[in-house]
Amino acid sequence: MATSRFLGHLESRKNIAGSACGFVGLVLTFTGVAGPYWPVVVAGLYGAGALVAPPERPPLPDFPDPSAQLDELRGDFERLGHYLADVELPPAASGRLTELTALLGALLEPGWVADALAADPEGVHVVARAVRQDVPEAVDSFVRTRWWSRLTPGTEPPERHLEQQLGLLHEEAGRLAAALRETEAGRQETHTRYLQDRRQ
């Protein structure tokens, strides 16, 4: 560990700049300019060079690229599908859930749609949050609340909340799909203008 730190210091910008300035001090010494104070001159120039050298820049963290994030998200979406297949839902809620998962699946489908999604970090976050948090939480809270509702009849049916939650999530995913479509349409319009300008 100490050896690697020492080697790192030898290769650092500060040491290289300080050594270059210290070499100038040796040249001044051999030419007689530094006189009897040459050790102070060499050390001072080395220190000055080390001070003015730019600081070391640590390497950027190696985060996975967006396509790798979507691959992982597709695996989570598949696991979510297995979980939802084991849950019994009322017909209305089941229909809304089917619409929502179909839209999420279309956004995650490998190809140009997923490529457009990968270019939108906020969009990836929206889909990831729906898959990993919002949908499982909505369904699980319905299952737990439904059990308590059987013990306390007359309370508000939990499926109403589930249907509302799934509807809101579908609207959010729909807004994301519309935004991605607008981005693609903008690219198309930009290319049209480029071709028109090229004729002039």
Side-chain angles (χ1 to χ4, degrees):
M1 188 71 177
T3 304
S4 62
R5 273 203 302 265
F6 176 72
L7 291 176
H9 172 70
L10 287 180
E11 298 172 352
S12 69
R13 296 177 183 176
K14 289 186 176 296
N15 184 55
I16 292 172
S19 298
C21 290
F23 179 74
V24 172
L26 289 176
V27 171
L28 293 175
T29 298
F30 290 127
T31 57
V33 176
Y37 302 105
W38 68 267
V40 176
V41 172
V42 172
L45 287 173
Y46 175 88
L51 284 175
V52 300
E56 293 295 323
R57 185 173 62 89
L60 291 171
D62 186 20
F63 293 123
D65 60 30
S67 60
Q69 292 180 22
L70 287 186
D71 288 340
E72 184 179 342
L73 188 51
R74 286 187 193 101
D76 292 341
F77 182 68
E78 186 177 348
R79 283 191 288 276
L80 175 64
H82 294 317
Y83 162 72
L84 295 176
D86 293 333
V87 179
E88 182 182 346
L89 298 177
S94 180
R96 290 203 170 190
L97 181 61
T98 300
E99 293 174 355
L100 173 60
T101 54
L103 181 52
L104 293 173
L107 289 169
L108 290 171
E109 185 71 26
W112 65 269
V113 175
D115 292 342
L117 176 62
D120 180 5
E122 182 59 32
V124 173
H125 173 69
V126 168
V127 175
R129 184 177 57 198
V131 170
R132 294 171 175 158
Q133 178 181 336
D134 294 335
V135 174
E137 175 63 23
V139 173
D140 184 60
S141 62
F142 163 76
V143 171
R144 287 183 282 118
T145 307
R146 178 178 57 181
W147 185 86
W148 286 106
S149 298
R150 291 172 181 166
L151 300 179
T152 55
T155 56
E156 184 179 11
E159 53 265 27
R160 288 184 187 169
H161 284 287
L162 177 61
E163 291 171 21
Q164 184 179 12
Q165 291 166 6
L166 295 175
L168 292 170
L169 290 171
H170 188 272
E171 288 177 12
E172 184 178 45
R175 286 194 300 271
L176 171 60
L180 293 175
R181 182 206 166 279
E182 288 177 8
T183 300
E184 293 300 315
R187 286 180 57 199
Q188 185 184 37
E189 292 171 5
T190 299
H191 189 59
T192 300
R193 287 194 297 271
Y194 163 72
L195 293 176
Q196 291 171 339
D197 294 342
R198 221 165 62 175
R199 292 177 55 193
Q200 298 174 359

